Amino acid sequence: MRAVVTVIGKDNVGILHKVSGICAETGANVIEVTQSVLQDMFAMIMLVDISGLNSDFAVLVDKMNSLGNQLGLSIHTMHEDIFNSMHNI
Amino acid sequence: MLNVYNILETIRMIQDECLDIRTITMGISLLDCIDTDIDKACEKVYNKIVNKAQNLVPVGQKIEKEYGIPIINKRISVTPVAMLAAACPDGDPVKFAKALQKAADTCGVNFIGGYSALVHKGFSAGDERLIRSIPEALAVTDNICSSVNIGSTKSGINMDAVKLMGRIVKETAEKTADRDCIGAAKLVVFCNAVEDNPFMAGAFHGAGEPDCEIHVGVSGPGVVRSALSKYPDASINELADIIKKTAFKITRMGQLVGARASELLGVPFGIVDLSLAPTPAIGDSVAHILEEMGLEKCGTHGTTACLAMLNDAVKKGGVMASSTVGGLSGAFIPVSEDAGMIDAAVEGVLSIEKLEAMTAVCSVGLDMIVVPGDIPAETISAIIADEAAIGMVNTKTTAVRLIPAIGKKEGETLEFGGLLGSGPVMPVKDKSSAKFINRGGRIPAPMHSLKN
């Protein structure tokens, strides 16, 4: 089971560190990261394995949401099934 | 395979274009709650609903978190209550409405639909009592919806019921006149009602359905409008293709959520309703899709053609995306719930006559239309009869949800708030239809050959 974490917003020091920190805390294993910074816009998509989570998936979502609010970033954490079912037949 | 473009497209649809799951609706059969003692029956109804649906809201919230998609409503539809009321001839059917309200409060759902009667060929025991109790039932409850089926393609139109419903609609508005006539917004009159509709106010759980199941209604007018806006010079058949592709994506989301809800609740998956359901929010309007196609204002000449294409393309795209499609499936045009329709009605471009034509080619019917408070009951009945005739002849579901604005005239507005929005009072003809309505009887079922 995998989930997709997307982070978009103004670039700042330590975004990747904080996001991956939450992954480590909750037991989500980072599989793949694609990241770009265009002028001062930060955009990152992270694929994480959530089969070894040490808590409910909702806890990971809540933590990411509160980090997003704290840093003024738009962070979405969604199960990969939504993308697979929407874009693949 | 995941790719960046797809991920960002999905997120944009949800965040900027108001894509959401409009409702997950649990259908529950109450046939095993029938009892000759109405108090016992009410107790059984309450217990059965709470037993089946106690996890509906938490499961809905869990899925919202998991997939990051909002699920706006969690609802329940039940067996038409007239079937239960038939067994207790001395009981007041309003007791059932109160029991349903209590169950809605306990489960935390937004609405329970099914305070209903099916009288397309005639009244059986309980039907007429239930219908006459609708104004009271909708006035003393907040989250109960009612529907009455007065006609069908196979049986014709029950004009006695049409006559009665004109009075009931008006009385329901009068009883809630202090609350912007909200009662009438929870009452819908159908021709060819479907048994697995997840949308309110017309949801009920048909007698042919299983004991308990889960239906999903999707939404997404904003996504369709935004997709079309990227192709300002495309031809109509190219637009139809874009709509199909978009509807496919929207419906896949409904299928995923429905399958997951069914798994988590341990209840069979019923249907996905392929729908474009607007809300009064900016960017969530079906009227704006039609305007994107090239109409200066929804309601002008060409509206029916645009809507016919939209409705058909939504179905074509959606059908392949879901394993089981049902319900009302199509584009909804509830006037007060759609920012573009409200605008068009206020400007006088969109009239009841045009809406009637539009209902011949899209989902459902004259929906959430505010009419003057002094409208005669017979005129409401005549509007119902016209709309039912369109449904009967064209073998489709049609419905009427009119709200007589008690004490208000053309030019004034009713404010419901929330998803129900607000509606300007729209003019109706002032010539009487009373003699026709007072004849009573039945319009015979139409023939199915020699079609012209």
Side-chain angles (χ1 to χ4, degrees), chain B residues 62-365:
Chain B
K62 184 181 160 78
I63 297 172
E64 276 182 287
K65 273 254 163 77
E66 201 166 296
Y67 297 127
I69 179 153
I71 299 172
I72 308 297
N73 287 297
K74 291 91 182 170
R75 298 165 166 169
I76 295 169
S77 62
V78 297
T79 306
V81 169
M83 294 184 187
L84 283 74
C88 21
D90 303 322
D92 176 5
V94 174
K95 285 187 174 178
F96 283 113
K98 289 179 179 162
L100 292 175
Q101 179 65 48
K102 197 172 139 205
D105 292 339
T106 307
C107 299
V109 293
N110 308 91
F111 281 114
I112 295 188
Y115 198 75
S116 307
L118 310 178
V119 294
H120 36 283
K121 207 161 184 181
F123 300 97
S124 64
D127 287 337
E128 198 169 334
R129 269 186 308 122
L130 181 113
I131 292 175
R132 289 188 190 280
S133 76
I134 288 173
E136 171 76 11
L138 297 185
V140 300
T141 57
D142 292 320
N143 307 89
I144 304 307
C145 289
S146 176
S147 55
V148 177
N149 192 54
I150 50 85
S152 78
T153 301
K154 297 270 186 206
S155 60
I157 301 172
N158 177 352
M159 290 301 292
D160 294 323
V162 169
K163 179 182 171 187
L164 178 58
M165 284 315 295
R167 289 213 303 275
I168 294 296
V169 167
K170 187 148 185 200
E171 222 178 283
T172 305
E174 283 165 355
K175 274 220 179 321
T176 49
D178 55 332
R179 284 168 278 160
D180 276 313
C181 311
I182 189 79
K186 297 181 285 177
L187 170 60
V188 52
V189 186
F190 272 117
C191 176
N192 287 325
V194 292
E195 299 201 325
D196 53 5
N197 164 24
F199 284 101
M200 296 296 167
F204 65 86
H205 187 72
E209 301 287 307
D211 189 52
C212 185
E213 61 186 335
I214 284 287
H215 306 304
V216 172
V218 293
S219 177
V223 181
V224 174
R225 195 202 61 78
S226 159
L228 293 185
S229 71
K230 295 188 187 94
Y231 302 88
D233 301 314
S235 68
I236 295 294
N237 52 317
E238 284 165 338
L239 289 188
D241 266 347
I242 298 162
I243 297 170
K244 278 195 284 187
K245 286 177 191 156
T246 313
F248 176 84
K249 290 176 185 171
I250 296 172
T251 311
R252 288 288 275 192
M253 194 96 86
Q255 170 75 18
L256 174 71
V257 167
R260 183 76 176 131
S262 138
E263 179 193 334
L264 289 174
L265 289 163
V267 167
F269 184 19
I271 56 99
V272 177
D273 194 312
L274 308 176
S275 38
L276 286 182
T279 68
I282 300 300
D284 210 12
S285 155
V286 170
H288 288 158
I289 301 178
L290 305 178
E291 290 169 9
E292 193 67 51
M293 288 185 196
L295 303 174
E296 186 179 347
K297 200 85 195 167
C298 174
T300 190
H301 304 291
T303 303
T304 312
C306 286
L307 186 59
M309 185 276 267
L310 170 68
N311 197 56
D312 182 63
V314 166
K315 286 183 203 169
K316 284 174 178 162
V319 156
M320 190 173 156
S322 169
S323 50
T324 42
V325 171
L328 298 169
S329 286
F332 291 134
I333 49 168
V335 176
S336 78
E337 299 175 13
D338 185 310
M341 298 275 175
I342 297 172
D343 272 359
V346 169
E347 276 192 34
V349 182
L350 186 62
S351 64
I352 292 185
E353 291 74 21
K354 189 65 187 174
L355 281 160
E356 193 178 298
M358 290 158 73
T359 63
V361 300
C362 82
S363 189
V364 198

Side-chain angles (χ1 to χ4, degrees), chain B residues 22-85:
Chain B
R22 180 50 47 84
T23 177
I24 48 177
T25 303
M26 179 180 267
I28 302 174
S29 167
L30 298 181
L31 289 173
D32 52 354
C33 303
I34 293 175
D35 200 298
T36 48
D37 177 340
I38 191 164
D39 295 314
K40 268 193 198 153
C42 286
E43 194 186 328
K44 286 190 204 170
V45 164
Y46 174 81
N47 289 337
K48 175 144 191 195
I49 294 176
V50 171
N51 177 31
K52 293 282 181 194
Q54 55 189 345
N55 290 327
L56 181 62
V57 173
V59 161
Q61 287 162 344
K62 184 181 160 78
I63 297 172
E64 276 182 287
K65 273 254 163 77
E66 201 166 296
Y67 297 127
I69 179 153
I71 299 172
I72 308 297
N73 287 297
K74 291 91 182 170
R75 298 165 166 169
I76 295 169
S77 62
V78 297
T79 306
V81 169
M83 294 184 187
L84 283 74

